[in-house]
Amino acid sequence: MKYELFFLNNIHDSMEMVNVELDPFLDLASQGDFDELTIKHIILNLANCLELLVKYRLEQEHWTLIFSDLNKAKYSDYLAGDFVSVDVKSGILRLKNVCEMEYTFVASMHIYQYRN
């Protein structure tokens, strides 16, 4: 499935990779075999998906919110993709403070912490 929005395509691709890797991992885990590399890839893809979801929601509020430094936000840079984007922790703070989201993001942050 292809979406007309950049973030949605990448979110879809990341979730698809999680699904592709998760089934064999669960099969092996149920047999007592733990594949450390596969779980690492699953966590990386979940963290990537989380980051993209945060940026997607921020972009829906206003395109400048995905810039790491709001003072450097230029529309031409946004269109060219030539900028440093917001990190997950700052993005979640913006979701709470600017977008007034009341979600706690606790589980999401645990996934992101496992990534590191």
Side-chain angles (χ1 to χ4, degrees):
M1 175 176 285
K2 289 295 176 189
Y3 300 94
E4 292 192 23
L5 298 170
F6 169 76
F7 282 124
L8 291 182
N9 283 324
N10 288 342
I11 292 165
H12 180 266
D13 291 346
S14 291
M15 282 309 297
E16 200 155 294
M17 287 303 301
V18 168
N19 288 329
V20 165
E21 293 174 331
L22 191 57
D23 282 334
F25 173 79
L26 291 174
D27 289 341
L28 287 173
S30 69
Q31 298 169 9
D33 190 12
F34 185 79
D35 183 4
E36 196 171 301
L37 185 59
T38 300
I39 194 66
K40 177 182 171 183
H41 286 174
I42 291 169
I43 291 169
L44 286 171
N45 281 311
L46 280 173
N48 185 45
C49 192
L50 167 66
E51 184 174 350
L52 292 169
L53 283 168
V54 167
K55 291 176 184 179
Y56 172 73
R57 178 58 183 93
L58 289 171
E59 184 185 46
Q60 296 304 298
E61 189 73 24
H62 197 272
W63 62 268
T64 58
L65 294 174
I66 63 172
F67 278 70
S68 178
D69 185 346
L70 295 172
N71 294 321
K72 294 181 180 178
K74 289 177 32 181
Y75 192 65
S76 60
D77 291 344
Y78 165 74
L79 291 176
D82 185 22
F83 60 93
V84 176
S85 63
V86 67
D87 63 81
V88 170
K89 287 183 181 180
S90 297
I92 287 174
L93 281 175
R94 289 179 189 179
L95 287 175
K96 289 178 177 181
N97 297 334
V98 178
C99 302
E100 297 181 335
M101 290 186 76
E102 295 182 19
Y103 184 72
T104 60
F105 295 96
V106 173
S108 302
M109 286 310 299
H110 285 300
I111 290 169
Y112 208 77
Q113 289 170 341
Y114 285 130
R115 174 187 168 262
N116 295 329

